[in-house]
Amino acid sequence: MLYDYLGFAFEHGQELLDGLWITLKLLALSSLGGFLLALPLAVARVSPNRTVAALARGYSALFRGTPLLVQIFILYYGFSQFEAVRNSPAWFVLADAFNCALLALTLNIAAYMAEDLRAGIIGVPHGEKEAALAYGMGRCGSYLHIILPRAIGIAAPALGNEVVSQLKASALASVITVLEVTGVARRFSAQSYSTDPLIVAGLLYVAVTLLLSLLARLAERRINCHQPR
């Protein structure tokens, strides 16, 4: 059985590597984009302005409360039904399966990361916030130099878990014809009437997950290296 897996991996190694590259692109771009979007969302979630906080809460509820697969289908199949969308600049993004998958993954993980960062902001010791104000920093300066960096450190373990989960969520891109690892494995599995390609793909996911977990732990230690243990 092991020889069958190794034989498939050697025979179709290039296709698997191409699929892995697409998976890693989806993971890296969506995680980075989601993190950048999550920062203002998290700040909005703890805003004293009720309207701003409600809008951020609504975004989080929408994307955390609906399946990612449904979000991908709506972006790829749903919006294409409207002529106004097809005639708009948005169609340059929505017409491509990879872009739709990337957009859905980004918007989805941003909602989860925003909640992690919101918890981190709440977890920043009150004394540190008061010290920033006593130092003469305004609200923006306090968030930029004190609160957000500290909140990121507090939320680092949860953020690392979100990235690992995003790796597995990227497999859903295969349902809209994106040939990432799962898409390549499904195609070969259908051609050979065998589950061997899917098992090899699963082993690839395990290897990447272990690597991501290690990198997340290293990043967490680096971010929190100035904090007392």
Side-chain angles (χ1 to χ4, degrees), residues 29-183:
L29 294 175
S30 65
S31 297
L32 177 60
F35 177 74
L36 294 176
L37 181 57
L39 288 172
L41 282 172
V43 175
R45 285 283 279 115
V46 297
S47 172
N49 187 311
R50 292 186 178 181
T51 302
V52 173
L55 290 173
R57 191 182 305 114
Y59 176 94
S60 179
L62 175 64
F63 284 95
R64 295 173 73 226
T66 56
L68 176 57
L69 182 60
V70 172
Q71 297 166 23
I72 292 175
F73 278 157
I74 290 175
L75 284 174
Y76 189 63
Y77 295 115
F79 287 139
S80 63
Q81 300 177 16
F82 301 100
E83 185 176 354
V85 174
R86 295 196 300 270
N87 294 330
S88 71
W91 188 242
F92 289 103
V93 175
L94 299 177
D96 183 76
F98 178 87
N99 291 337
C100 281
L102 177 59
L103 180 59
L105 288 167
T106 300
L107 295 175
N108 184 269
I109 195 175
Y112 288 92
M113 284 186 166
E115 291 301 309
D116 295 334
L117 289 170
R118 181 188 70 87
I121 291 173
I122 294 174
V124 174
H126 190 65
E128 295 184 18
K129 299 176 183 178
E130 289 184 337
L133 295 176
Y135 193 71
M137 294 183 181
R139 180 176 174 83
C140 291
S142 298
Y143 268 96
L144 184 62
H145 299 290
I146 303 297
I147 299 176
L148 281 180
R150 187 75 167 90
I152 292 172
I154 294 173
L159 294 174
N161 289 336
E162 299 294 359
V163 174
V164 172
S165 296
Q166 186 78 336
L167 170 67
K168 291 170 281 189
S170 67
L172 293 175
S174 64
V175 302
I176 55 171
T177 72
V178 178
L179 289 178
E180 41 71 69
V181 170
T182 300

